[in-house]
Amino acid sequence: MNKLLSIKNLSKVYYKGKAETEAIKDISFDIEEGEFVSIVGPSGCGKSTLLNILTNMDTLTKGNINLKENLKLGYMLQSDSMLEWLTVLDNALLGLDIKKIKTEENKNYVKSLFEKYGLAEFMDKYPSELSGGMRQRVALIRTLALKPDILILDEPFSKLDYQSRLKVSDDVYKIIKQEGKTALMVTHDISEAISVSDRVIVLSERPCIIKNIYKIKREKNGTPIENRKDKNFAYYYDCIWKDLAYHE
């Protein structure tokens, strides 16, 4: 397979005066083209810190991050961060505005995504007129507008109620797969991680290290909701649950 991202011996230490706090300790893993990889771990263990380092919102202390040449990352945050005074379409075009690449070709590409994924009738509406799930789909389209090679997803469904979360994770998964994107997602939800992922990386408490990496094997790959019914689902859930020591 084609390796897009390689993280080697990454560590992060925060300094405050003479005190230091180690957040991440000697983490290494690769991501291959077309993979969907999830990271799970206890609250505050350093999951979001890792994503911030990958997207240059924070700096590493030690180690190396190697990206394939000219590779682009797209970052989808926990909140949809939509501006209520802009139309849904204008919100989806924000990244293009900021990068100063809002060409007709790129605008038409974004509009084609709205058409493709059943949101065309909402382009001229405002965010307040959308459900939480629809807002997340628009947030994904806004991320895809920049044509990233790897999507970085930070708890993308955490603001939704349980039923909406299931439906939107299905929708987002389908869009990512249909667009042929590689994805790295942080989540607290073990079931969510297993249902969408090719591999699940389990982190320890801070300073986080990698406790385990599970390659998810299924009888048949389906949507996230279908994957929850797979016979191996309970096995992976039990393993990850024990790794995270939630049973203690």
Side-chain angles (χ1 to χ4, degrees):
M1 292 183 73
N2 186 10
K3 188 186 299 181
L4 297 188
L5 171 65
S6 182
I7 296 170
K8 298 295 183 187
N9 307 115
L10 188 150
S11 296
K12 175 65 181 178
V13 179
Y14 290 102
Y15 299 95
K16 187 174 183 180
K18 294 183 179 180
E20 61 179 53
T21 302
E22 192 173 24
I24 299 173
K25 184 175 182 177
D26 199 29
I27 282 180
S28 299
F29 64 89
D30 300 327
I31 296 180
E32 306 283 350
E33 185 175 10
E35 275 195 303
F36 199 124
V37 177
S38 288
I39 298 174
V40 298
S43 295
C45 76
K47 299 185 297 296
S48 292
T49 299
L50 176 59
L51 296 193
N52 288 339
I53 292 170
L54 288 176
T55 53
N56 295 318
M57 296 173 68
D58 203 344
T59 56
L60 57 80
T61 304
K62 294 180 182 178
N64 294 288
I65 298 172
N66 296 309
L67 294 173
K68 188 177 177 182
E69 189 176 0
N70 299 321
L71 182 140
K72 292 191 293 185
L73 302 180
Y75 199 2
M76 184 173 168
L77 302 170
Q78 291 182 27
S79 168
D80 59 62
S81 302
M82 295 180 72
L83 303 179
E84 300 297 333
W85 59 90
L86 294 180
T87 66
V88 169
L89 176 60
D90 285 338
N91 268 283
L93 296 173
L94 270 177
L96 298 177
D97 268 326
I98 293 168
K99 295 283 188 180
K100 302 187 185 306
I101 52 172
K102 196 169 74 172
T103 62
E104 283 303 311
E105 179 183 352
N106 286 336
K107 284 168 63 177
N108 287 335
Y109 171 65
V110 172
K111 289 178 181 178
S112 75
L113 292 175
F114 276 93
E115 293 276 357
K116 189 174 182 180
Y117 298 112
L119 292 168
E121 64 185 285
F122 300 99
M123 285 193 291
D124 295 325
K125 296 188 181 297
Y126 289 87
S128 61
E129 300 176 77
L130 303 185
S131 67
M134 292 174 70
R135 290 172 69 113
Q136 285 303 96
R137 287 192 286 272
V138 173
L140 177 59
I141 289 174
R142 181 180 59 205
T143 307
L144 290 171
L146 296 171
K147 300 179 181 177
D149 300 286
I150 300 180
L151 288 166
I152 306 293
L153 311 172
D154 188 1
E155 296 274 3
F157 316 120
S158 61
K159 305 290 185 183
L160 304 174
D161 63 74
Y162 181 72
Q163 286 187 326
S164 297
R165 189 169 182 145
L166 289 177
K167 176 66 169 65
V168 176
S169 68
D170 247 33
D171 292 342
V172 167
Y173 176 86
K174 289 175 185 174
I175 292 171
I176 289 171
K177 288 300 181 182
Q178 287 178 31
E179 295 303 312
K181 300 300 180 182
T182 304
L184 175 63
M185 181 176 76
V186 156
T187 179
H188 284 91
D189 190 319
I190 299 172
S191 296
E192 187 171 88
I194 298 167
S195 69
V196 302
S197 302
D198 300 299
R199 285 187 294 143
V200 177
I201 298 171
V202 184
L203 301 182
S204 69
E205 293 183 344
R206 179 175 289 198
C208 69
I209 61 171
I210 292 178
K211 294 191 75 171
N212 259 315
I213 299 179
Y214 294 94
K215 184 172 177 61
I216 306 299
K217 297 179 180 179
R218 305 183 181 94
E219 287 188 300
K220 180 183 178 182
N221 284 321
T223 67
I225 289 177
E226 291 167 346
N227 290 340
R228 289 171 186 250
K229 302 171 186 175
D230 188 90
K231 71 172 187 177
N232 295 323
F233 183 89
Y235 165 76
Y236 291 118
Y237 190 98
D238 187 55
C239 289
I240 295 171
W241 177 273
K242 289 175 179 175
D243 283 341
L244 294 173
Y246 288 160
H247 60 297
E248 294 180 356

